[in-house]
Amino acid sequence: MIANDFTAKIKSGELKPGDKLPTTRQIADEYGVSMNTAYRAMSLLHDRELITGQPGRGTYVAERSEP
């Protein structure tokens, strides 16, 4: 659910490349889930290459690599 929500926002352009995403804690609070669930959702988005993490700075929408 969380990963699908963020995927839809990224693909629709609501979230643009370079946009900063909420922290895992904020996502967990917003969706009413555990930190572990929020982390797994973010991990899935990273695996799909939709987001990128910058240590010490946060998580951002990845640049699109259009075919």
Side-chain angles (χ1 to χ4, degrees):
M1 178 173 113
I2 300 169
N4 290 341
D5 282 355
F6 278 96
T7 298
K9 288 178 181 179
I10 292 168
K11 292 195 181 286
S12 73
E14 185 179 337
L15 289 172
K16 296 173 178 34
D19 284 355
K20 187 172 184 178
L21 299 179
T23 65
T24 304
R25 161 86 49 213
Q26 290 168 328
I27 292 167
D29 290 346
E30 181 179 338
Y31 285 88
V33 298
S34 71
M35 288 280 290
N36 194 38
T37 299
Y39 177 80
R40 284 197 316 261
M42 294 290 98
S43 182
L44 183 58
L45 292 171
H46 188 270
D47 290 347
R48 292 179 182 170
E49 299 182 350
L50 294 173
I51 63 172
T52 182
Q54 297 180 10
R57 297 193 63 217
T59 305
Y60 297 83
V61 177
E63 295 297 324
R64 292 195 183 119
S65 54
E66 299 291 330

